[in-house]
Each structure stands twice: as structure tokens, then as C-alpha cells.
Amino acid sequence: MPAVLTAVLSAAPGEMQLVHRALARDGDAFRTIIKTHNQRLYRIARGVVRNDSEAEDIVQEAYLKAFAHLDAFRGDSSLATWLSRIVINEALGRLRKRRRTVAMPENPQAEIIRFPLHPSDDPERTMAQRQILQLVEQATDSLPDVYRTVFVARVIEGLSIEETADLLGVRPQTVKTRLHRARALVRKALDDQIGPVLLDAFPFAGRPCERLTSAVMRRLGLES
């Protein structure tokens, strides 16, 4: 592996200091690690199991396993990658166990991740944004497991090809192939559903409409 890439994937000095503090039972170090990685780990777990509460449970279990074996972290990869591997293994283990104990329905009613929206005084636009996000979430949930994990890591979490390959234990070319297929499947799912949503795109009603109407009326001298 090239030296530059190794530097990117290896733990930074600050991470190793944080790990050493955690090994010394420094509560603030544990809290910092958890808060720093919570969102990535949750979304990776959620991308695998497609269930909000189970994803939270997976992340909690992963943290406990990671902290119990923190002395095994040598900094060969970043702490985020190391933790993500543990989450992926825990999530895939849950998925295998679930499949052994109960038949998966063809179209499971997966819970939707409520991505935060920017606060707005425009409820119509907020609703349109949420509709788009829901379609993306549903399209992601519909992906087969092998493609969904790559899509979540690479597109949603923004990991590089190399980081994703390292995380999943596959070759970079495999990541590229799966990602290409995942994107094609997501595009098709969105193409099939986006038409009705586009009818509500760029809404101009409610408060914005009232605000513009009042401004024009005032300029016309018809409203004080």
C-alpha cells in the first residue's frame, strides 16, 4: 500500500492518545469517542439491518465489544474504520441470526431514518424535502444487502473506495462494481417514484406566498 494511503487509513496521533486515555478509564475519553463516531456507526448499522431501534442496539453492543478489546487497537487503521468493522460484523451477525429464525418478507416495512432538515418557516418546502429524503431512504432500504452496505459506506457516509474496501474486507474493484450496481438500482427506484413528488417541487404557497402578495399589494398602495 502506498505510504500516503497508509497515512490516510492509519490512526492519527490524537486518536492514539484518546485510546490510551480510554484504556486508563478516562470517562471523558470514552464520551469523546462515542460522540465522535455515533452518527457514522448508527447509519452503517441502520444501513445493514434497516431498523432504527435494532441499529441503536447494535451500536451499543459494538461499543461494549470495542471498549472491552481496546488494547487490541494498534492504529493500523483509523479508529473510525476499526469501530465500523465491529459494527458491520455485529450487524451482519444479527441479520444472519434473523434469517435463521424467521423468514424475511419480500417487502419488509423498514423504519425510516429521519434525517434532520434545516429549520424553515416554509412548511411546504420542508414537506417536499422530507418526501425526497423518504424516497432516497426507501430506495436505499430496497437494495440487496451486498449492495446496500457499499452504498451506505461510500455514498451516505462518504468513505473513499479504499476505506470502504478496508471496512468490508473486499477489493477496491469489488467496491466499484457493487457501487455502480447500487447506484443503478437506486436511480431506477427513484425514477419509478419521483414523478408524483416532482409535482410538488419548488412549492410557493403558505407564508412565502402571503409575504410576496403583501409586498406587492403594499407597493401598489392597496395595503398598508
Side-chain angles (χ1 to χ4, degrees), residues 82-175:
W82 188 73
L83 290 170
S84 296
R85 281 200 205 101
I86 296 173
V87 167
I88 282 277
N89 289 334
E90 179 73 16
L92 291 176
R94 296 287 186 95
L95 210 55
R96 286 191 292 269
K97 183 177 179 181
R98 182 197 300 172
R99 285 172 175 165
R100 285 197 300 267
T101 56
V102 63
M104 294 279 287
E106 290 185 6
N107 295 299
Q109 296 299 312
E111 298 177 36
I112 299 300
I113 304 173
R114 300 299 180 188
F115 290 112
L117 297 172
H118 293 296
S120 170
D121 63 350
D122 184 350
E124 289 83 7
R125 182 171 298 279
T126 299
M127 181 60 70
Q129 290 174 334
R130 191 171 294 283
Q131 284 181 297
I132 294 294
L133 287 175
Q134 285 178 340
L135 289 179
V136 173
E137 291 161 354
Q138 289 165 2
T140 302
D141 276 347
S142 70
L143 290 172
D145 298 342
V146 68
Y147 300 129
R148 192 171 63 254
T149 51
V150 169
F151 187 82
V152 169
R154 182 77 180 92
V155 176
I156 295 180
E157 284 307 313
L159 302 186
S160 69
I161 293 289
E162 291 77 13
E163 288 172 323
T164 304
D166 187 35
L167 172 64
L168 299 177
V170 298
R171 295 181 299 110
Q173 186 56 47
T174 302
V175 171

